[in-house]
Amino acid sequence: MDKIDTGSTAWMIAATALVLLMTPGLAFFYGGMTRAKSVLNMMMMSFVSMITVTVLWVLFGHSLAFDAAGNETVNKFVGGLDAWGLQSLITTATSDEGGMPSLTFSAFQLTFAIITVALISGAIADRAKFGAWVVFGGLWATLVYFPVAHWVWGGGWLTELGIEDFAGGTVVHINAGAAALALALVLGKRKGWPKEPMRPHNLPYVLLGAALLWFGWFGFNAGSELAVDGTAALAFINTQIAAAVAAGAWLLVEKLRDGHATSLGAASGAVAGLVAITPACGFVDPWAAVLLGVLAGAACAYAVGLKYKFGYDDSLDVVGVHLVGGVIGAVALGFLARYPFLDGQEQGVLYGEHGWRQLGLQVLGPVVVGLYSFVVSYILGKVIDMTMGFRISEEDEVNGIDIAAHAESAYDLAPSHSGTASSISAPVSDIKKVEADA
Amino acid sequence: MKLITAIIKPFKLDDVKAALETFGVKGMTVSEASGFGRQKGHTEVYRGAEYKVDVVPKIRLEVLVEDEDAEEVIDVVVKAAQTGKIGDGKVWSTSVDTVVRVRTGETGAEAL
C-alpha cells in the first residue's frame, strides 16, 4: 500500500461515521413529519436504503462510480467493473502523496449514496409499497446515482468540463430532488391531500432529526476534502454558518408572513442552509456562506409552497428544500467561488476573468443531472407501477401503512383500554394463515 | 336528583373543583373532552400551510346533587369557571332517576 496519512485517515473514518448517522437522522426528520399511523414506514424507507445500497455498493456500486479503468468513451459516462466486490481496493490507497486506504474512501462515498436514495423517500410518504420502494431504490442507485457520481466526481464528462461540486449539491441534493419530483408525480397525491389535515405527528422527532443531520453534515462537507487541511477547516465553518443563518432566515420569513416562528421552520431552514452550502463549502469565503444561508433560508421557505400551487404531493418537501436549495448552492458557486486554497482554479464571476464560463457550467450541471434523474426516475417509477404496483390500496392508506406493510404500530399509548393486543396465543409462525375474502 | 354537567376550560379545573368542595359537594367525575362552540378551534401553521384544528381540549366535569342544590351548584361552577372570554364552556343539568352506591347498595340521596 502507498503511504498513508494517519491524521487524514483518522478524520475520514470519523467523517464516514458522521455521514452514516445522517440517514437515521433523516429517518427522524421525515418520521416526525408524517402522521402517527405511518411513521414506522417512513423511517423504514431510510433504514432499508442503508441495506440495499450497501449491498449494491459492494457488488458494483463503487466500481460504477469510481473505477476509471476500461474504454475511454464509456468511461466518460460510467465507471468500469474492476473494483467489483471491493476486492481490488483492499491493499491500495486513494490519493498519491499520503492518502487514505481506498476502503476508507469507498466507505465514505457509500454513505453518500445511501443518504441520497433515502432523501427521495420524503416525496412518497404514507403511500408507497415497501417492496416497490426497495426495488426502486436499488435500480435508482444503479442507473442514476452511481453514474452521476461518476460524471461529477469519478472522472466522467462533467468532471472533464470543469464543473465544481464540493460535497454533493448536484450529485446528492439536485439528483434526489429531481427523482423525488418524478416519484411524487408517478404515485399521485395522498388520499385527501391537500384538503385533509396531514399534520406532522411529532415535531420533537423532526428537531432531533434535523440536529442529527446538522451534526453529521460536518462529516459530509468537511470530510469531502478527503484530507485534514485549510479547505477542510473552511468547509467546516461555512457549514455551520450557512445552517444557522438559513434557519434564522426561514424563521424571519415565517414571522413576517404567518405571524409565528415555528420549530418546523427552524429545522427546515437549517437543512435548507446545509443543502445550499454543500457544493460551495470548501470554495467560498465565510461571508459568502452567510449570503448563501440567507438566500437558501428565505427562498426555500417560499419554495415549499410550490406544491400547493402546482398540485403535486411532494409530501415532505424534498423538492422545495433539496432541489431548490441544491440549485441555489450550485449556481451561487459560479458567482462566489474564490478557492482560497486552490491555485489555478477558475474562480467565480466575482473574482475570475473567465467567471461567466464557470457560471455557465454551474448552471449546466444542475440542468443535466436534474433532467437525467427526473426522466430515469419517472420511467423507473412507471415500470414498477405497471408491473408490481407502486402504491398501496386505498384501505391500507387510510388505516395507515405501518400495519399493512410491517404489521407494527408505532405507539401503544393506552394499552389498558385499547384491547387491541389482548392475548398472545402462539408464535406467528405457528398460526395458520387465514385467507381473507377476495 | 340532578346531574350537573359542565364543559370548562382545562386551566379552570382547579378553581371549579375548589369552589365545589367549599360548597360541600362530596364527589365528582372529571374527564378530558374536546369540542368546539362558537369560537371554533385554532389555526396551526406547518411550513406555511395552515391547518384548522376545529376541536379544542376541554374538561368535562360531572356532579350528582339533590334537586334543591342544583341551581346553586350551577351558579358556583359558572362563577368559578368564568374568564369572560370566548370558549369558557357550558353547564347544564339533567334529571336523574336512580343513584346506587355500588359498595353498600344505598340508593337516592343517601348514595350521593
Side-chain angles (χ1 to χ4, degrees), chain A residues 11-21 104-109 111 219:
Chain A
W11 159 237
M12 289 310 297
I13 288 171
T16 301
L18 281 171
V19 181
L20 186 69
L21 183 66
T104 303
F105 173 77
S106 183
F108 183 67
Q109 290 298 340
T111 59

Side-chain angles (χ1 to χ4, degrees), chain A residues 250 257 268 299-308 317 320-321, chain B residues 47-48:
Chain A
W250 190 304
R257 185 184 60 184
S268 314
C300 293
Y302 283 104
V304 294
L306 293 177
K307 62 180 180 181
Y308 298 106
D317 297 311
V321 174
Chain B
R47 279 182 173 163

Side-chain angles (χ1 to χ4, degrees), chain B residues 42-55:
Chain B
H42 60 266
T43 307
E44 296 179 13
V45 183
Y46 299 99
R47 279 182 173 163
E50 279 196 2
Y51 292 79
K52 287 237 178 311
V53 180
D54 55 4
V55 291

Side-chain angles (χ1 to χ4, degrees), chain A residues 39 59 68 87 171 190 202 272 288 309 353 385 403:
Chain A
V39 49
L59 292 177
Q87 202 60 27
V171 176
R190 283 169 293 178
N202 191 334
K309 208 171 163 191
E353 287 170 38
D385 197 34
I403 290 172

Side-chain angles (χ1 to χ4, degrees), chain A residues 37-323:
Chain A
K37 63 184 180 181
S38 50
V39 49
L40 290 177
N41 177 255
M42 194 68 245
M43 298 182 89
M44 277 294 282
M45 286 202 277
S46 285
F47 270 79
V48 80
S49 303
M50 295 202 264
I51 300 167
T52 318
V53 179
T54 302
V55 173
L56 298 184
W57 187 262
V58 176
L59 292 177
F60 53 75
H62 175 102
S63 230
L64 291 182
F66 291 104
D67 184 31
N71 181 296
E72 205 177 309
T73 317
V74 174
N75 214 248
K76 281 191 191 333
F77 301 100
V78 67
L81 277 172
D82 285 2
W84 69 272
L86 305 186
Q87 202 60 27
S88 62
L89 306 181
I90 294 174
T91 53
T92 59
T94 298
S95 161
D96 305 332
E97 56 270 28
M100 69 189 100
S102 293
L103 285 177
T104 303
F105 173 77
S106 183
F108 183 67
Q109 290 298 340
L110 162 60
T111 59
F112 279 64
I114 288 170
I115 194 166
T116 309
V117 171
L119 280 173
I120 303 168
S121 66
I124 53 169
D126 303 354
R127 60 195 188 282
K129 275 187 189 167
F130 188 63
W133 165 250
V134 175
V135 170
F136 176 85
L139 289 172
W140 190 85
T142 305
L143 297 175
V144 182
Y145 186 82
F146 301 149
V148 167
H150 182 77
W151 298 353
V152 179
W153 289 335
W157 68 282
L158 286 173
T159 321
E160 283 178 11
L161 278 176
I163 192 176
E164 292 294 348
D165 183 6
F166 189 78
T170 303
V171 176
V172 175
H173 298 289
I174 292 168
N175 206 357
L181 181 60
L183 277 199
L185 294 177
V186 170
L187 268 84
K189 305 163 190 177
R190 283 169 293 178
K191 191 180 159 48
W193 188 88
K195 283 183 190 148
E196 271 173 40
M198 294 174 184
R199 289 186 291 162
H201 88 288
N202 191 334
L203 287 174
Y205 272 9
V206 176
L207 287 169
L208 171 66
L212 288 172
L213 283 168
W214 193 331
F215 176 66
W217 224 295
F218 289 117
F220 198 92
N221 283 358
S224 287
E225 170 60 357
L226 308 176
V228 179
D229 57 16
T231 301
L234 183 67
F236 196 104
I237 189 78
N238 280 346
T239 301
Q240 173 63 17
I241 294 168
V245 171
W250 190 304
L251 288 180
L252 198 65
V253 167
E254 281 191 332
K255 179 68 189 166
L256 297 175
R257 185 184 60 184
D258 313 322
H260 297 277
T262 68
S263 59
L264 182 56
S268 314
V271 173
L274 290 161
V275 169
I277 196 65
T278 292
C281 58
F283 304 145
V284 299
D285 294 294
W287 69 264
V290 174
L291 185 66
L292 262 173
V294 173
L295 278 177
C300 293
Y302 283 104
V304 294
L306 293 177
K307 62 180 180 181
Y308 298 106
K309 208 171 163 191
F310 295 113
Y312 60 90
D313 185 11
D314 169 19
S315 322
L316 310 181
D317 297 311
V318 190
V319 177
V321 174
H322 293 275
L323 182 58

